[in-house]
Amino acid sequence: MARNDWDPNDLPDLSGRRYLVTGSNTGLGFFSCLQLAGAGAHVVMTARNPSKLSRARAAILAQVPDADLETLALDTSNLGSVRAAAATVRGRVGLHGVLFNAGIVHPPKTREVTRDGHELVIATNALGHYALAGALLPALAAARGRMVWLGSVATKLFPWDPIDPELVDDYTPWRAYVQSKVATSALGFEADRRLRAASVPVASLVAHPGYSLGGRTRRIAGVSVPSRRKRFLGGLQAAVSQSKESGAWAPVRALIDPEAEGGQYWGPARTYTGSPVLVRPSRVTIDPDVGARMWHYAEHATRAEWPYLKGRKLRLR
Ligand SMILES: NC(=O)c1ccc[n+]([C@@H]2O[C@H](COP(=O)([O-])OP(=O)(O)OC[C@H]3O[C@@H](n4cnc5c(N)ncnc54)[C@H](OP(=O)(O)O)[C@@H]3O)[C@@H](O)[C@H]2O)c1
């Protein structure tokens, strides 16, 4: 049962705990790293652009001088990069949590394909994280850790195409985003069902940040520098939006609240804004048939099978 006195500005002590966040250089990923580091965690910050990543690291150190940070290059749209990053991390001591945050939120106008041959938005937001999760599963299991996937209110508001996940026939930028977020959330819930069935001691949760705008977010040099136009538009939407700093509250709670459990969905109390609470997921994302279908699709698309899920029970030292 989740506590109702959670204070996102006063997190539990996370000393001795290790977390990895994708897309750490800006937005929700950056503020998640800041919040985790501020609570004493060791944070592996990952991003695809090394100079943006080092600026983000410096920005955290400016606010949390004793932050325990590590940086690692990781492009979630590139399965080779995912494998290389996972190989760097997984040999070390256990990982207490991974936040699958990286994402394209403004998809390209016309359909683009990654070097692995997949539609860019679903590859970045869902497939790369599926492959990363499988590769990091031993490190997570060693620490009885958890993984958190980033969903979206969009999965409730807009239709999804079950037949053509990569929108070969009918691509629009917004449809690509919705496809990717249904896939990400369905994979997150399906992962929890499969991990439980195989008695793997890793929980999988899904969280969403409501409606979190750069234009409502404080300025941080090199990390969050919203233009005057963005600030103006953010101001117009003030009643239904929040900063990315507040948007990070729900994913961070899902990642670290000792009372949170696998299969849960966390989000802001007032749907688009507010403190982090348990919320109801959209029906499509928790449908086991959709989950199984997405799982098979991700398995084939990435050629990555998760360990432990077939037959043999996991034995931990
Ligand atoms: N903001 C919202 O209201 C909202 C609502 C629902 C869900 N979400 C989800 O929350 C997550 C973060 O959103 P945000 O608002 O923080 O977006 P954002 O400010 O645009 O940040 C996106 C992050 O993802 C990174 N990224 C993009 N493509 C990548 C790749 N191929 N490999 C590694 N990193 C990559 C970006 O890095 P670069 O700087 O290199 O591009 C950036 O760090 C996304 O998954 C999004 O779908 C956001």
Side-chain angles (χ1 to χ4, degrees), residues 215-268:
R216 305 276 331 270
T217 304
R218 67 188 162 103
R219 189 180 190 287
I220 298 178
V223 171
S224 161
V225 193
S227 60
R228 284 164 67 104
R229 184 171 176 274
K230 269 197 174 171
R231 286 234 169 272
F232 176 71
L233 293 174
L236 291 179
Q237 300 172 87
V240 290
S241 65
Q242 60 185 356
S243 69
K244 300 223 179 187
E245 194 156 15
S246 303
W249 289 347
V252 167
R253 182 168 185 181
L255 195 65
I256 65 166
D257 184 343
E259 289 165 37
E261 290 171 12
Q264 291 179 339
Y265 189 48
W266 290 83

Side-chain angles (χ1 to χ4, degrees), residues 279-304:
V279 293
R280 196 193 294 261
S282 57
R283 214 175 297 154
V284 64
T285 61
I286 52 170
D287 180 332
D289 291 338
V290 173
R293 189 187 299 203
M294 279 296 118
W295 197 268
H296 288 127
Y297 157 65
E299 234 173 24
H300 281 102
T302 62
R303 291 198 215 101

Side-chain angles (χ1 to χ4, degrees), residues 23 25 28 48 52 74-76 101 103 151 177 181 210 212 244:
N25 59 287
L28 301 165
R48 59 179 163 172
K52 286 187 186 177
L74 169 53
D75 179 340
T76 60
N101 160 80
Y177 183 70
K181 287 289 133 178
S212 304
K244 300 223 179 187

Side-chain angles (χ1 to χ4, degrees), residues 46-48 72-82 85 115 124 128:
T46 74
R48 59 179 163 172
L72 182 65
L74 169 53
D75 179 340
T76 60
S77 72
N78 176 337
L79 293 171
S81 169
V82 169
R115 69 173 70 179
T124 305

Side-chain angles (χ1 to χ4, degrees), residues 22-30 46-49 52 74-78 100-106 120 124-125 129 150-154 177 180-181 207-214 244:
T22 64
S24 297
N25 59 287
T26 189
L28 301 165
F30 170 80
T46 74
R48 59 179 163 172
N49 179 318
K52 286 187 186 177
L74 169 53
D75 179 340
T76 60
S77 72
N78 176 337
F100 300 134
N101 160 80
I104 296 177
V105 286
H106 301 294
L120 176 67
T124 305
N125 299 7
H129 286 132
L150 256 293
S152 168
V153 176
Y177 183 70
S180 78
K181 287 289 133 178
H208 80 90
Y211 189 36
S212 304
L213 297 178
K244 300 223 179 187

